[in-house]
Amino acid sequence: MRTADAYLRLATLGVGLTLAVVAAPALAFDGTKSDDDVVAAAPPALKSMDEAFRSGAHWLKTGDKEKALHSLEYAAERGHAVAQWKLGRMYQAGDGVAQDDLKAFEYFRSIAANHADDNPDGPQSRFVASAFVALGHYYLDGIPNTKIKAEPERARQMFDYAASYFRDADAQYYLARLYLNGNGAPHDPRTAARWFGLSAQKGQCKSQAMLGAMLFSGDHVPRQAARGLMWLTLARDASRASPDETWVAKLYDSAYAQSTEDERALALVYLKRWMESRRE
């Protein structure tokens, strides 16, 4: 098993930032907020970080982002991983707070540093895996005007860890894209197809689309047109509600137009088997 120490080095080497989120609660954000201030701002009945997290999650659901922020900060500064993840997502999206990728990065890095060796089947493993994926994107593109520069190889390491240890479908998809494009990883379409396949089996629609297109055209893998059309059909159906995934429908339409009647019929057989296996 890979250890947290190894990946902590990957996440922190050369960055020069402190984990202010967990290491220095008295200076958690702007250098002026004290730990007592956070406690005072939190609901008075809170006595533990778990209670603070539950309160924060409640306020998020009700739409009171200010109260949610105070409670989640209280929990996050005491090491609550899911509270840190929620705050990271809030700062990443500018949801109820000023958008700040560096603060989001610090939260995600804290999770990765402290929870890399968590049980991959544990209740919070998906949040830890998501934090690694978020770090991968930040390392892939960098954060302008900060010390976080674009480092595609480090991005690959983040995606690889979440893909391998936590078996995260999104991480497997993004890792496959790096191998397919030769960005931060060797150009290796066969390895990309393997990661797309693992992710597609978990229902990740973008991986299903990419695997389907490769199989249909025989792109660096043996051509299996009917099976490729099956994956493209699943991807199209899963992505219909997402306006950002119109490329999936285009891949399906192109493959369907080129397919034969026999290939379409066999694809339906494969699709039926897939659906039956998912119900078992």
Side-chain angles (χ1 to χ4, degrees), residues 194-215:
R194 181 173 67 84
W195 283 114
F196 283 139
L198 291 172
S199 179
Q201 290 288 343
K202 298 180 177 73
Q204 217 280 2
C205 68
K206 291 183 286 189
S207 284
Q208 291 173 340
M210 294 299 297
L211 177 65
M214 293 179 77
L215 288 171

Side-chain angles (χ1 to χ4, degrees), residues 12-233:
T12 59
L13 182 61
V15 174
L17 296 174
T18 60
L19 292 178
V21 178
V22 295
L27 296 173
F29 299 106
D30 61 3
T32 62
K33 184 181 294 184
S34 72
D35 191 53
D36 290 339
D37 291 333
V38 176
V39 175
L46 296 180
K47 296 181 180 179
S48 72
M49 69 174 182
D50 289 330
E51 289 176 309
F53 169 74
R54 287 192 294 270
S55 178
H58 166 74
W59 292 122
L60 275 181
K61 287 183 179 179
T62 61
D64 193 329
K65 300 296 176 64
E66 183 176 357
K67 289 182 179 179
L69 182 64
H70 291 317
S71 294
L72 291 173
E73 285 175 348
Y74 183 87
E77 289 168 1
R78 284 152 184 78
H80 196 290
V82 184
Q84 292 171 351
W85 181 84
K86 286 184 177 293
L87 286 167
R89 292 296 296 268
M90 289 174 71
Y91 279 106
Q92 188 178 45
D95 181 17
V97 294
Q99 198 277 338
D100 190 326
D101 283 316
L102 189 57
K103 284 186 178 180
F105 175 90
E106 290 174 344
Y107 277 116
F108 293 134
R109 189 178 63 167
S110 175
I111 297 168
N114 291 290
H115 298 277
D117 282 339
D118 281 9
N119 183 345
D121 298 312
Q124 69 180 25
S125 61
R126 64 190 179 98
F127 300 103
V128 180
S130 178
F132 272 98
V133 171
L135 288 173
H137 287 300
Y138 279 128
Y139 281 124
L140 192 60
D141 300 324
I143 303 176
N145 303 315
T146 74
K147 294 182 180 180
I148 310 303
K149 307 303 179 184
E151 298 183 67
E153 290 187 3
R154 188 171 291 179
R156 177 187 58 79
Q157 292 165 346
M158 298 297 107
F159 292 142
D160 182 79
Y161 190 77
S164 302
Y165 183 71
F166 289 103
R167 305 184 298 277
D168 182 80
D170 288 337
Q172 290 169 345
Y173 167 74
Y174 290 115
L175 181 61
R177 291 301 298 248
L178 294 187
Y179 278 106
L180 188 64
N181 298 330
N183 183 21
H187 175 62
D188 189 343
R190 287 183 176 272
T191 296
R194 181 173 67 84
W195 283 114
F196 283 139
L198 291 172
S199 179
Q201 290 288 343
K202 298 180 177 73
Q204 217 280 2
C205 68
K206 291 183 286 189
S207 284
Q208 291 173 340
M210 294 299 297
L211 177 65
M214 293 179 77
L215 288 171
F216 185 84
S217 64
D219 181 14
H220 293 90
V221 295
R223 188 170 189 267
Q224 300 180 59
R227 196 168 297 279
L229 191 58
M230 178 208 76
W231 285 119
L232 284 164
T233 302

